[in-house]
Amino acid sequence: MTIKRNTETKSETKMPVYHAYTVRDGKDGQKGFWTRIGAFFAHDDGEGGTLLLEALPLDGRIVLRAPKADE
């Protein structure tokens, strides 16, 4: 997994590297239900990051996905 290094200055707002979602499986072949619950921000040194969560999934499943250009 490659983590992008954030080179912005402290006065600029950092953008998340990933959005965090909880995913509930659909029933009878339906698609899963995705709910955004937080974001992952890379540390300046490129050696990890911080996961900020606004909620926790009931089933314990969290998926991290890169944000799309329109988000």
Side-chain angles (χ1 to χ4, degrees):
M1 178 170 96
T2 303
I3 296 178
K4 298 175 189 175
R5 186 175 176 149
N6 191 334
T7 58
E8 298 173 350
T9 63
K10 296 293 181 192
S11 63
E12 296 176 7
T13 302
K14 290 185 179 182
M15 299 300 293
V17 177
Y18 297 107
H19 288 170
Y21 297 87
T22 181
V23 182
R24 291 179 295 148
D25 293 327
K27 295 182 182 179
D28 300 324
Q30 293 179 344
K31 292 183 179 182
F33 298 95
W34 291 61
T35 304
R36 191 184 317 180
I37 60 170
F40 176 86
F41 295 87
H43 289 168
D44 291 336
D45 64 5
E47 296 293 325
T50 300
L51 179 60
L52 299 175
L53 297 174
E54 298 172 5
L56 293 174
L58 296 176
D59 63 2
R61 183 175 171 198
I62 297 174
V63 177
L64 299 176
R65 300 281 298 187
K68 296 181 180 178
D70 61 346
E71 295 182 317

